[in-house]
Amino acid sequence: MEKSYLSLAIFFLLGIALPMVALFFGRLLRPHRPLPEKAITYESGVDPTGDSWVQFHVRYYLFALLFVIFDVEAVFLYPWAVSYDLLRTEMGLFILVEMTIFVLFLLIGLIYAWKKKVLEWR
Amino acid sequence: MNINGEFIAFFIFSVLAIGGAVFMINLTRVMHMALALAFTFFSIAGLYVLLDAPFLAVIQILIYTGAVSILMIFGIMLTKHKDEDKVAPFTVHKLLSLLGVGGFLAIVIWIIYRNPFFSTGEPQAAAFKVTDLGKAMFKTYMIPFEVTSILLLVALIGAIVLAKREEKK
């Protein structure tokens, strides 16, 4: 248990250290000649116009919400998958039916979203 | 107090969690605030790992660090606001908030002092297994589990109805 967390910690620290070290050495090695043109915000090679803050369309919010709902659903699937074998012997196939009902309810939501043209991009 | 790896990790995670929360309140740009909050959520996941609850830690990262932070960033992107870099002056309102929060902190510390978490005896809970959780969720609390699904459905449909009405305007 302890050892597995240690390897996780090393992995985590390496993940943080790698970009930091790379960017630090890049700063030492690269030439530094700032120009006003270089300081402009990059926007697909075109000079940006207006503020960097624009109000996004509310449709994006629906995609975020769909993501959250199905994220929560996925969380429920993890313990179900882990304990499936154990519960299969205790409850029989009902454990499969149970999760099917759960997923079906959310499928109704997905179909509703589909019918309401939430998934379409106009 | 013995200093071992667990203590050091706890120290780092708690400093990061509290630091993230303090930065979240003190930063002036909304996007930076959301980042600081995500940092706090992530550190709390680390604390859960230290408390020997890896499943809860994974859920913390999935739901809070992932989904809730994304939702907040979307909320920021969807609203119009001016970034204010000036610091608000210290007012009577802030002083009252300070008094309220200080009083709450004192009460919490007093309660913890009166009822210590660590009783003298062996810890009651056995080692956590995900299969136990699955058993409780899918066998003992079967109906609440299915109701959760309906709750999620209601949240989904409600969000669509509200957002569609907003879009028509």
Side-chain angles (χ1 to χ4, degrees), chain A residues 26-71:
Chain A
R27 196 190 180 88
L28 290 182
L29 291 171
R30 68 173 175 241
H32 182 65
R33 288 190 214 96
L35 290 171
E37 284 83 11
K38 283 183 184 172
I40 299 174
T41 311
Y42 182 77
E43 193 183 315
S44 311
V46 188
D47 280 356
T49 52
D51 209 2
S52 62
W53 278 102
V54 288
Q55 195 177 359
F56 281 75
H57 201 277
V58 73
R59 203 174 293 148
Y60 288 100
Y61 189 65
L62 275 174
F63 283 100
L65 258 167
L66 278 175
F67 163 67
V68 171
I69 299 270
F70 285 98
D71 201 39

mmCIF file of all heavy atoms in Angstrom, chain A residues 26-71:
data_model
loop_
_atom_site.group_PDB
_atom_site.id
_atom_site.type_symbol
_atom_site.label_atom_id
_atom_site.label_comp_id
_atom_site.label_asym_id
_atom_site.label_seq_id
_atom_site.Cartn_x
_atom_site.Cartn_y
_atom_site.Cartn_z
ATOM 1 N N GLY A 26 14.813 26.014 -21.498
ATOM 2 C CA GLY A 26 14.471 26.724 -22.717
ATOM 3 C C GLY A 26 14.703 28.215 -22.561
ATOM 4 O O GLY A 26 15.211 28.882 -23.469
ATOM 5 N N ARG A 27 14.405 28.749 -21.395
ATOM 6 C CA ARG A 27 14.606 30.169 -21.130
ATOM 7 C C ARG A 27 16.093 30.518 -21.165
ATOM 8 O O ARG A 27 16.483 31.596 -21.633
ATOM 9 C CB ARG A 27 14.024 30.481 -19.750
ATOM 10 C CG ARG A 27 13.803 31.953 -19.495
ATOM 11 C CD ARG A 27 13.469 32.176 -18.034
ATOM 12 N NE ARG A 27 13.259 33.581 -17.766
ATOM 13 C CZ ARG A 27 12.090 34.195 -17.897
ATOM 14 N NH1 ARG A 27 11.048 33.509 -18.301
ATOM 15 N NH2 ARG A 27 11.979 35.478 -17.644
ATOM 16 N N LEU A 28 16.924 29.594 -20.666
ATOM 17 C CA LEU A 28 18.371 29.847 -20.672
ATOM 18 C C LEU A 28 18.934 29.822 -22.076
ATOM 19 O O LEU A 28 19.832 30.586 -22.417
ATOM 20 C CB LEU A 28 19.083 28.800 -19.812
ATOM 21 C CG LEU A 28 18.873 28.869 -18.301
ATOM 22 C CD1 LEU A 28 19.688 27.783 -17.620
ATOM 23 C CD2 LEU A 28 19.269 30.237 -17.765
ATOM 24 N N LEU A 29 18.410 28.910 -22.894
ATOM 25 C CA LEU A 29 19.028 28.657 -24.191
ATOM 26 C C LEU A 29 18.515 29.571 -25.290
ATOM 27 O O LEU A 29 19.264 29.950 -26.180
ATOM 28 C CB LEU A 29 18.786 27.192 -24.595
ATOM 29 C CG LEU A 29 19.536 26.158 -23.757
ATOM 30 C CD1 LEU A 29 19.054 24.767 -24.106
ATOM 31 C CD2 LEU A 29 21.033 26.274 -23.990
ATOM 32 N N ARG A 30 17.210 29.937 -25.241
ATOM 33 C CA ARG A 30 16.636 30.650 -26.387
ATOM 34 C C ARG A 30 17.067 32.127 -26.387
ATOM 35 O O ARG A 30 17.335 32.704 -25.325
ATOM 36 C CB ARG A 30 15.118 30.544 -26.353
ATOM 37 C CG ARG A 30 14.477 31.300 -25.218
ATOM 38 C CD ARG A 30 12.968 31.294 -25.320
ATOM 39 N NE ARG A 30 12.431 31.943 -24.127
ATOM 40 C CZ ARG A 30 11.636 31.341 -23.262
ATOM 41 N NH1 ARG A 30 11.270 30.091 -23.438
ATOM 42 N NH2 ARG A 30 11.183 31.975 -22.205
ATOM 43 N N PRO A 31 17.154 32.740 -27.597
ATOM 44 C CA PRO A 31 17.433 34.174 -27.648
ATOM 45 C C PRO A 31 16.229 34.962 -27.144
ATOM 46 O O PRO A 31 15.084 34.494 -27.233
ATOM 47 C CB PRO A 31 17.691 34.432 -29.134
ATOM 48 C CG PRO A 31 17.003 33.323 -29.833
ATOM 49 C CD PRO A 31 17.049 32.140 -28.929
ATOM 50 N N HIS A 32 16.473 36.129 -26.597
ATOM 51 C CA HIS A 32 15.399 36.926 -26.000
ATOM 52 C C HIS A 32 15.392 38.303 -26.655
ATOM 53 O O HIS A 32 16.153 39.200 -26.283
ATOM 54 C CB HIS A 32 15.640 37.042 -24.487
ATOM 55 C CG HIS A 32 14.558 37.792 -23.789
ATOM 56 N ND1 HIS A 32 13.268 37.345 -23.718
ATOM 57 C CD2 HIS A 32 14.583 38.967 -23.120
ATOM 58 C CE1 HIS A 32 12.536 38.226 -23.049
ATOM 59 N NE2 HIS A 32 13.319 39.220 -22.675
ATOM 60 N N ARG A 33 14.584 38.475 -27.700
ATOM 61 C CA ARG A 33 14.481 39.767 -28.381
ATOM 62 C C ARG A 33 13.009 40.164 -28.482
ATOM 63 O O ARG A 33 12.342 39.872 -29.466
ATOM 64 C CB ARG A 33 15.096 39.674 -29.790
ATOM 65 C CG ARG A 33 16.600 39.579 -29.784
ATOM 66 C CD ARG A 33 17.150 39.730 -31.197
ATOM 67 N NE ARG A 33 18.332 38.899 -31.343
ATOM 68 C CZ ARG A 33 18.334 37.678 -31.856
ATOM 69 N NH1 ARG A 33 17.215 37.153 -32.283
ATOM 70 N NH2 ARG A 33 19.456 36.995 -31.951
ATOM 71 N N PRO A 34 12.478 40.792 -27.449
ATOM 72 C CA PRO A 34 11.044 41.126 -27.486
ATOM 73 C C PRO A 34 10.742 42.252 -28.461
ATOM 74 O O PRO A 34 11.469 43.223 -28.553
ATOM 75 C CB PRO A 34 10.756 41.555 -26.050
ATOM 76 C CG PRO A 34 12.063 41.971 -25.491
ATOM 77 C CD PRO A 34 13.133 41.239 -26.222
ATOM 78 N N LEU A 35 9.673 42.096 -29.216
ATOM 79 C CA LEU A 35 9.172 43.134 -30.122
ATOM 80 C C LEU A 35 7.710 43.368 -29.747
ATOM 81 O O LEU A 35 7.060 42.467 -29.223
ATOM 82 C CB LEU A 35 9.239 42.649 -31.581
ATOM 83 C CG LEU A 35 10.611 42.488 -32.230
ATOM 84 C CD1 LEU A 35 10.449 41.786 -33.568
ATOM 85 C CD2 LEU A 35 11.270 43.831 -32.422
ATOM 86 N N PRO A 36 7.180 44.547 -30.026
ATOM 87 C CA PRO A 36 5.750 44.768 -29.722
ATOM 88 C C PRO A 36 4.843 43.818 -30.489
ATOM 89 O O PRO A 36 3.804 43.410 -29.975
ATOM 90 C CB PRO A 36 5.510 46.227 -30.136
ATOM 91 C CG PRO A 36 6.764 46.723 -30.759
ATOM 92 C CD PRO A 36 7.855 45.789 -30.430
ATOM 93 N N GLU A 37 5.241 43.448 -31.720
ATOM 94 C CA GLU A 37 4.415 42.527 -32.494
ATOM 95 C C GLU A 37 4.355 41.151 -31.837
ATOM 96 O O GLU A 37 3.346 40.464 -31.903
ATOM 97 C CB GLU A 37 4.951 42.380 -33.931
ATOM 98 C CG GLU A 37 4.647 43.545 -34.846
ATOM 99 C CD GLU A 37 5.641 44.682 -34.673
ATOM 100 O OE1 GLU A 37 6.672 44.464 -33.987
ATOM 101 O OE2 GLU A 37 5.404 45.784 -35.194
ATOM 102 N N LYS A 38 5.485 40.794 -31.211
ATOM 103 C CA LYS A 38 5.516 39.463 -30.581
ATOM 104 C C LYS A 38 4.617 39.401 -29.350
ATOM 105 O O LYS A 38 4.171 38.330 -28.949
ATOM 106 C CB LYS A 38 6.952 39.126 -30.171
ATOM 107 C CG LYS A 38 7.829 38.692 -31.320
ATOM 108 C CD LYS A 38 9.189 38.318 -30.791
ATOM 109 C CE LYS A 38 10.130 37.977 -31.931
ATOM 110 N NZ LYS A 38 11.505 37.801 -31.436
ATOM 111 N N ALA A 39 4.363 40.555 -28.751
ATOM 112 C CA ALA A 39 3.574 40.567 -27.517
ATOM 113 C C ALA A 39 2.082 40.490 -27.777
ATOM 114 O O ALA A 39 1.297 40.290 -26.855
ATOM 115 C CB ALA A 39 3.891 41.838 -26.725
ATOM 116 N N ILE A 40 1.672 40.610 -29.049
ATOM 117 C CA ILE A 40 0.237 40.547 -29.369
ATOM 118 C C ILE A 40 -0.267 39.138 -29.106
ATOM 119 O O ILE A 40 0.456 38.159 -29.328
ATOM 120 C CB ILE A 40 0.003 40.919 -30.852
ATOM 121 C CG1 ILE A 40 0.493 42.348 -31.129
ATOM 122 C CG2 ILE A 40 -1.469 40.832 -31.217
ATOM 123 C CD1 ILE A 40 0.416 42.725 -32.585
ATOM 124 N N THR A 41 -1.509 39.059 -28.627
ATOM 125 C CA THR A 41 -2.127 37.756 -28.410
ATOM 126 C C THR A 41 -2.225 36.998 -29.728
ATOM 127 O O THR A 41 -2.616 37.571 -30.743
ATOM 128 C CB THR A 41 -3.536 37.946 -27.831
ATOM 129 O OG1 THR A 41 -3.438 38.857 -26.750
ATOM 130 C CG2 THR A 41 -4.114 36.633 -27.360
ATOM 131 N N TYR A 42 -1.837 35.740 -29.715
ATOM 132 C CA TYR A 42 -1.882 34.949 -30.941
ATOM 133 C C TYR A 42 -3.299 34.492 -31.209
ATOM 134 O O TYR A 42 -3.952 33.923 -30.329
ATOM 135 C CB TYR A 42 -0.954 33.735 -30.825
ATOM 136 C CG TYR A 42 -0.942 32.922 -32.082
ATOM 137 C CD1 TYR A 42 -0.223 33.341 -33.186
ATOM 138 C CD2 TYR A 42 -1.665 31.746 -32.181
ATOM 139 C CE1 TYR A 42 -0.221 32.617 -34.349
ATOM 140 C CE2 TYR A 42 -1.670 31.004 -33.336
ATOM 141 C CZ TYR A 42 -0.934 31.446 -34.425
ATOM 142 O OH TYR A 42 -0.936 30.733 -35.576
ATOM 143 N N GLU A 43 -3.780 34.768 -32.404
ATOM 144 C CA GLU A 43 -5.126 34.324 -32.754
ATOM 145 C C GLU A 43 -5.114 33.837 -34.201
ATOM 146 O O GLU A 43 -5.448 34.572 -35.123
ATOM 147 C CB GLU A 43 -6.105 35.477 -32.563
ATOM 148 C CG GLU A 43 -7.552 35.026 -32.606
ATOM 149 C CD GLU A 43 -8.486 36.219 -32.480
ATOM 150 O OE1 GLU A 43 -8.247 37.073 -31.616
ATOM 151 O OE2 GLU A 43 -9.441 36.284 -33.246
ATOM 152 N N SER A 44 -4.659 32.649 -34.415
ATOM 153 C CA SER A 44 -4.633 32.003 -35.738
ATOM 154 C C SER A 44 -3.908 32.857 -36.775
ATOM 155 O O SER A 44 -4.292 32.881 -37.936
ATOM 156 C CB SER A 44 -6.052 31.706 -36.227
ATOM 157 O OG SER A 44 -6.770 31.064 -35.223
ATOM 158 N N GLY A 45 -2.908 33.586 -36.367
ATOM 159 C CA GLY A 45 -2.120 34.349 -37.310
ATOM 160 C C GLY A 45 -2.744 35.665 -37.728
ATOM 161 O O GLY A 45 -2.136 36.434 -38.465
ATOM 162 N N VAL A 46 -3.970 35.952 -37.274
ATOM 163 C CA VAL A 46 -4.637 37.205 -37.621
ATOM 164 C C VAL A 46 -4.496 38.157 -36.444
ATOM 165 O O VAL A 46 -4.491 37.716 -35.294
ATOM 166 C CB VAL A 46 -6.128 36.940 -37.913
ATOM 167 C CG1 VAL A 46 -6.789 38.180 -38.466
ATOM 168 C CG2 VAL A 46 -6.275 35.784 -38.869
ATOM 169 N N ASP A 47 -4.382 39.448 -36.732
ATOM 170 C CA ASP A 47 -4.334 40.407 -35.626
ATOM 171 C C ASP A 47 -5.651 40.372 -34.867
ATOM 172 O O ASP A 47 -6.723 40.516 -35.461
ATOM 173 C CB ASP A 47 -4.114 41.822 -36.186
ATOM 174 C CG ASP A 47 -2.653 42.048 -36.529
ATOM 175 O OD1 ASP A 47 -1.851 41.134 -36.245
ATOM 176 O OD2 ASP A 47 -2.322 43.106 -37.084
ATOM 177 N N PRO A 48 -5.601 40.169 -33.549
ATOM 178 C CA PRO A 48 -6.856 40.066 -32.791
ATOM 179 C C PRO A 48 -7.560 41.413 -32.695
ATOM 180 O O PRO A 48 -6.920 42.457 -32.616
ATOM 181 C CB PRO A 48 -6.399 39.580 -31.421
ATOM 182 C CG PRO A 48 -4.988 39.995 -31.317
ATOM 183 C CD PRO A 48 -4.426 39.979 -32.692
ATOM 184 N N THR A 49 -8.886 41.352 -32.736
ATOM 185 C CA THR A 49 -9.668 42.575 -32.577
ATOM 186 C C THR A 49 -10.525 42.443 -31.323
ATOM 187 O O THR A 49 -10.968 41.348 -30.979
ATOM 188 C CB THR A 49 -10.601 42.801 -33.773
ATOM 189 O OG1 THR A 49 -11.353 41.600 -33.973
ATOM 190 C CG2 THR A 49 -9.835 43.137 -35.028
ATOM 191 N N GLY A 50 -10.756 43.561 -30.663
ATOM 192 C CA GLY A 50 -11.642 43.586 -29.518
ATOM 193 C C GLY A 50 -11.009 43.004 -28.270
ATOM 194 O O GLY A 50 -9.806 42.755 -28.205
ATOM 195 N N ASP A 51 -11.853 42.779 -27.296
ATOM 196 C CA ASP A 51 -11.418 42.293 -25.995
ATOM 197 C C ASP A 51 -11.190 40.794 -26.060
ATOM 198 O O ASP A 51 -11.768 40.103 -26.886
ATOM 199 C CB ASP A 51 -12.508 42.624 -24.970
ATOM 200 C CG ASP A 51 -11.917 42.821 -23.595
ATOM 201 O OD1 ASP A 51 -10.683 42.737 -23.487
ATOM 202 O OD2 ASP A 51 -12.686 43.053 -22.656
ATOM 203 N N SER A 52 -10.335 40.294 -25.162
ATOM 204 C CA SER A 52 -10.152 38.844 -25.102
ATOM 205 C C SER A 52 -11.350 38.171 -24.436
ATOM 206 O O SER A 52 -11.540 36.976 -24.565
ATOM 207 C CB SER A 52 -8.876 38.514 -24.337
ATOM 208 O OG SER A 52 -8.983 38.973 -23.016
ATOM 209 N N TRP A 53 -12.154 38.981 -23.728
ATOM 210 C CA TRP A 53 -13.325 38.421 -23.057
ATOM 211 C C TRP A 53 -14.561 38.632 -23.898
ATOM 212 O O TRP A 53 -15.031 39.748 -24.054
ATOM 213 C CB TRP A 53 -13.534 39.074 -21.695
ATOM 214 C CG TRP A 53 -12.672 38.463 -20.682
ATOM 215 C CD1 TRP A 53 -11.514 38.976 -20.189
ATOM 216 C CD2 TRP A 53 -12.873 37.222 -20.026
ATOM 217 N NE1 TRP A 53 -10.986 38.120 -19.275
ATOM 218 C CE2 TRP A 53 -11.787 37.035 -19.152
ATOM 219 C CE3 TRP A 53 -13.857 36.238 -20.104
ATOM 220 C CZ2 TRP A 53 -11.657 35.914 -18.367
ATOM 221 C CZ3 TRP A 53 -13.734 35.118 -19.315
ATOM 222 C CH2 TRP A 53 -12.640 34.969 -18.462
ATOM 223 N N VAL A 54 -15.071 37.577 -24.488
ATOM 224 C CA VAL A 54 -16.338 37.676 -25.181
ATOM 225 C C VAL A 54 -17.320 36.783 -24.455
ATOM 226 O O VAL A 54 -16.938 35.805 -23.817
ATOM 227 C CB VAL A 54 -16.227 37.230 -26.656
ATOM 228 C CG1 VAL A 54 -15.469 38.267 -27.439
ATOM 229 C CG2 VAL A 54 -15.576 35.886 -26.768
ATOM 230 N N GLN A 55 -18.608 37.147 -24.572
ATOM 231 C CA GLN A 55 -19.621 36.320 -23.926
ATOM 232 C C GLN A 55 -19.923 35.132 -24.819
ATOM 233 O O GLN A 55 -20.333 35.306 -25.963
ATOM 234 C CB GLN A 55 -20.879 37.140 -23.688
ATOM 235 C CG GLN A 55 -21.815 36.460 -22.712
ATOM 236 C CD GLN A 55 -23.031 37.298 -22.426
ATOM 237 O OE1 GLN A 55 -23.153 38.401 -22.949
ATOM 238 N NE2 GLN A 55 -23.911 36.780 -21.622
ATOM 239 N N PHE A 56 -19.713 33.943 -24.287
ATOM 240 C CA PHE A 56 -19.951 32.749 -25.087
ATOM 241 C C PHE A 56 -21.440 32.451 -25.152
ATOM 242 O O PHE A 56 -22.212 32.891 -24.312
ATOM 243 C CB PHE A 56 -19.206 31.558 -24.485
ATOM 244 C CG PHE A 56 -17.759 31.559 -24.836
ATOM 245 C CD1 PHE A 56 -16.883 32.435 -24.213
ATOM 246 C CD2 PHE A 56 -17.262 30.694 -25.789
ATOM 247 C CE1 PHE A 56 -15.548 32.452 -24.535
ATOM 248 C CE2 PHE A 56 -15.933 30.702 -26.114
ATOM 249 C CZ PHE A 56 -15.067 31.580 -25.494
ATOM 250 N N HIS A 57 -21.797 31.687 -26.162
ATOM 251 C CA HIS A 57 -23.206 31.350 -26.330
ATOM 252 C C HIS A 57 -23.636 30.346 -25.266
ATOM 253 O O HIS A 57 -22.845 29.518 -24.832
ATOM 254 C CB HIS A 57 -23.435 30.766 -27.727
ATOM 255 C CG HIS A 57 -24.858 30.862 -28.160
ATOM 256 N ND1 HIS A 57 -25.791 29.944 -27.793
ATOM 257 C CD2 HIS A 57 -25.506 31.789 -28.900
ATOM 258 C CE1 HIS A 57 -26.954 30.284 -28.308
ATOM 259 N NE2 HIS A 57 -26.801 31.407 -28.983
ATOM 260 N N VAL A 58 -24.898 30.433 -24.871
ATOM 261 C CA VAL A 58 -25.415 29.592 -23.788
ATOM 262 C C VAL A 58 -25.391 28.109 -24.188
ATOM 263 O O VAL A 58 -25.427 27.229 -23.346
ATOM 264 C CB VAL A 58 -26.822 30.055 -23.376
ATOM 265 C CG1 VAL A 58 -27.850 29.675 -24.418
ATOM 266 C CG2 VAL A 58 -27.206 29.519 -22.021
ATOM 267 N N ARG A 59 -25.266 27.856 -25.497
ATOM 268 C CA ARG A 59 -25.278 26.461 -25.950
ATOM 269 C C ARG A 59 -24.083 25.686 -25.404
ATOM 270 O O ARG A 59 -24.181 24.501 -25.124
ATOM 271 C CB ARG A 59 -25.267 26.444 -27.476
ATOM 272 C CG ARG A 59 -25.823 25.177 -28.072
ATOM 273 C CD ARG A 59 -25.903 25.300 -29.572
ATOM 274 N NE ARG A 59 -26.876 26.295 -29.969
ATOM 275 C CZ ARG A 59 -26.764 27.038 -31.058
ATOM 276 N NH1 ARG A 59 -25.715 26.915 -31.831
ATOM 277 N NH2 ARG A 59 -27.685 27.920 -31.373
ATOM 278 N N TYR A 60 -22.966 26.395 -25.225
ATOM 279 C CA TYR A 60 -21.791 25.731 -24.672
ATOM 280 C C TYR A 60 -22.077 25.170 -23.280
ATOM 281 O O TYR A 60 -21.568 24.136 -22.893
ATOM 282 C CB TYR A 60 -20.622 26.713 -24.567
ATOM 283 C CG TYR A 60 -20.018 27.099 -25.874
ATOM 284 C CD1 TYR A 60 -20.347 28.294 -26.474
ATOM 285 C CD2 TYR A 60 -19.107 26.265 -26.504
ATOM 286 C CE1 TYR A 60 -19.797 28.661 -27.675
ATOM 287 C CE2 TYR A 60 -18.550 26.628 -27.709
ATOM 288 C CZ TYR A 60 -18.895 27.824 -28.297
ATOM 289 O OH TYR A 60 -18.342 28.173 -29.476
ATOM 290 N N TYR A 61 -22.916 25.917 -22.554
ATOM 291 C CA TYR A 61 -23.220 25.520 -21.181
ATOM 292 C C TYR A 61 -23.937 24.178 -21.151
ATOM 293 O O TYR A 61 -23.711 23.366 -20.259
ATOM 294 C CB TYR A 61 -24.088 26.599 -20.537
ATOM 295 C CG TYR A 61 -24.282 26.418 -19.065
ATOM 296 C CD1 TYR A 61 -23.206 26.514 -18.205
ATOM 297 C CD2 TYR A 61 -25.534 26.139 -18.531
ATOM 298 C CE1 TYR A 61 -23.375 26.343 -16.857
ATOM 299 C CE2 TYR A 61 -25.703 25.959 -17.181
ATOM 300 C CZ TYR A 61 -24.615 26.071 -16.346
ATOM 301 O OH TYR A 61 -24.772 25.883 -15.015
ATOM 302 N N LEU A 62 -24.767 23.933 -22.153
ATOM 303 C CA LEU A 62 -25.485 22.660 -22.206
ATOM 304 C C LEU A 62 -24.514 21.498 -22.395
ATOM 305 O O LEU A 62 -24.681 20.436 -21.795
ATOM 306 C CB LEU A 62 -26.500 22.686 -23.346
ATOM 307 C CG LEU A 62 -27.826 23.314 -22.971
ATOM 308 C CD1 LEU A 62 -28.713 23.423 -24.172
ATOM 309 C CD2 LEU A 62 -28.503 22.489 -21.894
ATOM 310 N N PHE A 63 -23.490 21.736 -23.213
ATOM 311 C CA PHE A 63 -22.499 20.674 -23.398
ATOM 312 C C PHE A 63 -21.775 20.388 -22.084
ATOM 313 O O PHE A 63 -21.562 19.226 -21.726
ATOM 314 C CB PHE A 63 -21.492 21.070 -24.481
ATOM 315 C CG PHE A 63 -22.034 20.929 -25.859
ATOM 316 C CD1 PHE A 63 -22.496 22.025 -26.553
ATOM 317 C CD2 PHE A 63 -22.118 19.683 -26.444
ATOM 318 C CE1 PHE A 63 -23.011 21.888 -27.818
ATOM 319 C CE2 PHE A 63 -22.639 19.536 -27.723
ATOM 320 C CZ PHE A 63 -23.083 20.645 -28.405
ATOM 321 N N ALA A 64 -21.448 21.452 -21.354
ATOM 322 C CA ALA A 64 -20.778 21.278 -20.058
ATOM 323 C C ALA A 64 -21.675 20.508 -19.096
ATOM 324 O O ALA A 64 -21.222 19.610 -18.391
ATOM 325 C CB ALA A 64 -20.419 22.636 -19.478
ATOM 326 N N LEU A 65 -22.970 20.848 -19.102
ATOM 327 C CA LEU A 65 -23.889 20.177 -18.180
ATOM 328 C C LEU A 65 -24.068 18.713 -18.536
ATOM 329 O O LEU A 65 -24.090 17.846 -17.656
ATOM 330 C CB LEU A 65 -25.238 20.886 -18.200
ATOM 331 C CG LEU A 65 -25.438 21.787 -16.999
ATOM 332 C CD1 LEU A 65 -26.610 22.692 -17.216
ATOM 333 C CD2 LEU A 65 -25.618 20.975 -15.750
ATOM 334 N N LEU A 66 -24.174 18.440 -19.843
ATOM 335 C CA LEU A 66 -24.267 17.039 -20.277
ATOM 336 C C LEU A 66 -23.045 16.268 -19.808
ATOM 337 O O LEU A 66 -23.151 15.139 -19.321
ATOM 338 C CB LEU A 66 -24.352 16.974 -21.802
ATOM 339 C CG LEU A 66 -25.722 17.188 -22.425
ATOM 340 C CD1 LEU A 66 -25.594 17.212 -23.930
ATOM 341 C CD2 LEU A 66 -26.660 16.083 -22.007
ATOM 342 N N PHE A 67 -21.876 16.918 -19.926
ATOM 343 C CA PHE A 67 -20.635 16.287 -19.486
ATOM 344 C C PHE A 67 -20.689 15.960 -17.996
ATOM 345 O O PHE A 67 -20.338 14.850 -17.578
ATOM 346 C CB PHE A 67 -19.444 17.208 -19.790
ATOM 347 C CG PHE A 67 -18.202 16.857 -19.049
ATOM 348 C CD1 PHE A 67 -17.544 15.675 -19.307
ATOM 349 C CD2 PHE A 67 -17.702 17.699 -18.078
ATOM 350 C CE1 PHE A 67 -16.405 15.342 -18.622
ATOM 351 C CE2 PHE A 67 -16.564 17.371 -17.375
ATOM 352 C CZ PHE A 67 -15.918 16.191 -17.655
ATOM 353 N N VAL A 68 -21.161 16.912 -17.184
ATOM 354 C CA VAL A 68 -21.203 16.693 -15.728
ATOM 355 C C VAL A 68 -22.136 15.535 -15.389
ATOM 356 O O VAL A 68 -21.800 14.656 -14.586
ATOM 357 C CB VAL A 68 -21.630 17.983 -15.004
ATOM 358 C CG1 VAL A 68 -21.893 17.711 -13.538
ATOM 359 C CG2 VAL A 68 -20.570 19.033 -15.144
ATOM 360 N N ILE A 69 -23.323 15.523 -16.017
ATOM 361 C CA ILE A 69 -24.308 14.477 -15.717
ATOM 362 C C ILE A 69 -23.729 13.092 -16.036
ATOM 363 O O ILE A 69 -23.802 12.161 -15.230
ATOM 364 C CB ILE A 69 -25.591 14.707 -16.531
ATOM 365 C CG1 ILE A 69 -26.206 16.057 -16.171
ATOM 366 C CG2 ILE A 69 -26.568 13.572 -16.341
ATOM 367 C CD1 ILE A 69 -27.163 16.088 -15.072
ATOM 368 N N PHE A 70 -23.101 12.981 -17.200
ATOM 369 C CA PHE A 70 -22.594 11.655 -17.577
ATOM 370 C C PHE A 70 -21.309 11.316 -16.845
ATOM 371 O O PHE A 70 -20.962 10.140 -16.686
ATOM 372 C CB PHE A 70 -22.456 11.563 -19.094
ATOM 373 C CG PHE A 70 -23.795 11.418 -19.748
ATOM 374 C CD1 PHE A 70 -24.444 12.506 -20.286
ATOM 375 C CD2 PHE A 70 -24.429 10.196 -19.750
ATOM 376 C CE1 PHE A 70 -25.704 12.378 -20.844
ATOM 377 C CE2 PHE A 70 -25.685 10.055 -20.297
ATOM 378 C CZ PHE A 70 -26.328 11.158 -20.849
ATOM 379 N N ASP A 71 -20.615 12.340 -16.358
ATOM 380 C CA ASP A 71 -19.468 12.118 -15.475
ATOM 381 C C ASP A 71 -19.922 11.466 -14.175
ATOM 382 O O ASP A 71 -19.331 10.486 -13.703
ATOM 383 C CB ASP A 71 -18.801 13.463 -15.194
ATOM 384 C CG ASP A 71 -17.371 13.318 -14.748
ATOM 385 O OD1 ASP A 71 -16.687 12.441 -15.300
ATOM 386 O OD2 ASP A 71 -16.944 14.064 -13.871
#
